[in-house]
Amino acid sequence: MRVFFATFIGIFITSVSFAQKDPQGWLIYFGQTRIKTGKFAIHHELQLRDHQLMGDHNQTLLRVGLQYQAKPYLWTTVGYGFIYNEQAGSPNRPFQENRIYQEALFSHKVLRAGMRHRFRLEERFIEDKDFSGRFRYCLFVDIPFTSHGLGAKGWYAALYDEIFLNLSDDEGMDFFDRNRAYLGLGYKISDVLGIQAGYMYQNVGSASGTNHAVLSVHHQIKWK
């Protein structure tokens, strides 16, 4: 497994280097606090994004949400996000966005692989811009490599593809907003804590795609 991990990292670094001299770095924390033994939970998330691998801040995203487990396979969420943005270089011309969102997350298995379908609606209030809405759909696939499956001490491949569609009457705004395709390697440190390292390719509108090195922590807390 160590050989596999080293090979994966080598391929990842090489692909990013050839694709773009200055890949963009993303650091992400995904957290969920389960409220006692009930069906409610709190989602808490922090993302730090950079125009470069590091050293030129792009975006800080904070997201919180109230979640409800309607079925064993279905989580629903209503939440709020605050986004602080800076343009590349100097001057960075910062601006802010407040965002409200609603989502449904369906999960199931195909053989040993875990699959999730996330549907999200966003209401976006961007500084000095008109109100806009957006729809997002993401397909997540986690494929375990070891007998531990997706549990503690398990290694797995993490893949997802997410499409973003604008829901606005603004004639200057295209219906297609962006698409993100991701491939990563994950390890479950325990049943409630995991880490992923991966590569994401993002297309925004008709602009050339950008490459991103992504490191994420996935954490579940049980509020007893």
Side-chain angles (χ1 to χ4, degrees):
M1 186 56 64
R2 292 180 180 177
V3 173
F4 174 83
F5 182 72
T7 303
F8 176 87
I9 294 298
I11 294 172
F12 165 65
I13 294 173
T14 301
S15 62
V16 170
S17 299
F18 278 101
Q20 181 174 311
K21 291 183 179 179
D22 296 313
Q24 301 179 25
W26 286 20
L27 294 175
I28 307 175
Y29 168 82
F30 294 110
Q32 183 192 54
T33 298
R34 298 291 297 266
I35 301 176
K36 297 185 177 180
T37 58
K39 295 185 177 182
F40 287 94
I42 298 171
H43 173 80
H44 32 94
E45 176 182 342
L46 170 63
Q47 298 195 26
L48 302 175
R49 303 175 179 177
D50 209 278
H51 288 291
Q52 302 175 1
L53 196 58
M54 61 173 53
D56 187 2
H57 177 262
N58 176 5
Q59 187 178 85
T60 295
L61 183 150
L62 294 166
R63 185 182 282 125
V64 294
L66 178 63
Q67 299 181 305
Y68 176 73
Q69 190 176 23
K71 298 287 184 181
Y73 54 84
L74 172 62
W75 281 92
T76 60
T77 306
V78 291
Y80 165 78
F82 173 78
I83 301 93
Y84 173 81
N85 304 273
E86 292 182 353
Q87 295 185 12
S90 180
N92 52 35
R93 298 184 176 87
F95 65 95
Q96 298 178 2
E97 176 184 350
N98 292 281
R99 186 183 299 173
I100 301 169
Y101 72 97
Q102 307 83 39
E103 74 176 37
L105 181 68
F106 297 85
S107 60
H108 63 96
K109 282 190 174 182
V110 176
L111 300 177
R112 297 183 68 227
M115 301 186 69
R116 289 165 290 152
H117 305 264
R118 187 178 69 194
F119 301 85
R120 179 181 289 175
L121 285 173
E122 296 178 329
E123 295 80 45
R124 308 178 68 196
F125 303 87
I126 304 174
E127 186 176 353
D128 298 327
K129 291 187 178 182
D130 294 334
F131 165 81
S132 62
R134 191 164 64 179
F135 169 78
R136 299 167 57 167
Y137 167 73
C138 190
L139 171 63
F140 301 90
V141 182
D142 295 329
I143 306 172
F145 295 130
T146 68
S147 59
H148 296 285
L150 297 173
K153 299 182 180 180
W155 291 88
Y156 63 97
L159 305 90
Y160 73 72
D161 190 85
E162 184 171 22
I163 187 169
F164 297 62
L165 303 174
N166 289 312
L167 304 175
S168 176
D169 295 330
D170 187 346
E171 295 181 357
M173 184 178 293
D174 294 332
F175 178 60
F176 172 76
D177 181 66
R178 69 191 65 202
N179 190 84
R180 293 173 181 166
Y182 170 88
L183 170 63
L185 181 67
Y187 177 69
K188 290 296 292 291
I189 300 169
S190 69
D191 286 330
V192 297
L193 181 63
I195 189 169
Q196 284 184 26
Y199 164 77
M200 184 188 73
Y201 184 75
Q202 178 173 234
N203 279 104
V204 179
S206 58
S208 299
T210 53
N211 300 275
H212 305 261
V214 183
L215 180 64
S216 59
V217 175
H218 305 254
H219 188 204
Q220 188 178 81
I221 302 169
K222 293 184 179 180
W223 181 8
K224 297 182 179 180

